[in-house]
Amino acid sequence: ESKNKIIVRKSIVSRQDIPKGTKIDLSMLTAKRPGTGISPAEFKSVIGKITKNRISKDTIINFEMLK
């Protein structure tokens, strides 16, 4: 079951290209597999953060990308 956990769970992913220094809002994000990034249960902790660098479309979001 733990092997399938990563495949079955989802992560927060960029829905579009997000420029450096942009304040993240919900419209910029979606949830997709695999579950190697931030869980969609934590959307609230990502909303309002500022990007440290440009984030390309369909990139799994992690806290190191955000201020």
Side-chain angles (χ1 to χ4, degrees):
E1 190 172 301
S2 62
K3 289 180 184 179
N4 291 332
K5 182 177 168 180
I6 292 173
I7 297 168
V8 175
R9 290 198 177 172
K10 294 183 178 184
S11 298
I12 297 175
V13 177
S14 57
R15 183 178 293 206
Q16 63 192 46
D17 290 337
I18 305 172
K20 177 182 178 178
T22 301
K23 185 176 181 180
I24 299 290
D25 67 51
L26 186 58
S27 69
M28 299 174 183
L29 306 174
T30 191
K32 293 185 180 182
R33 290 186 173 114
T36 56
I38 302 170
S39 167
E42 297 190 53
F43 268 118
K44 288 183 180 180
S45 64
V46 174
I47 303 301
K49 299 285 187 186
I50 306 295
T51 57
K52 290 182 181 177
N53 296 300
R54 180 182 176 277
I55 300 173
S56 299
K57 181 179 179 178
D58 291 324
T59 300
I60 293 174
I61 305 294
N62 61 56
F63 287 114
E64 290 76 33
M65 298 174 170
L66 308 170
K67 300 184 204 185

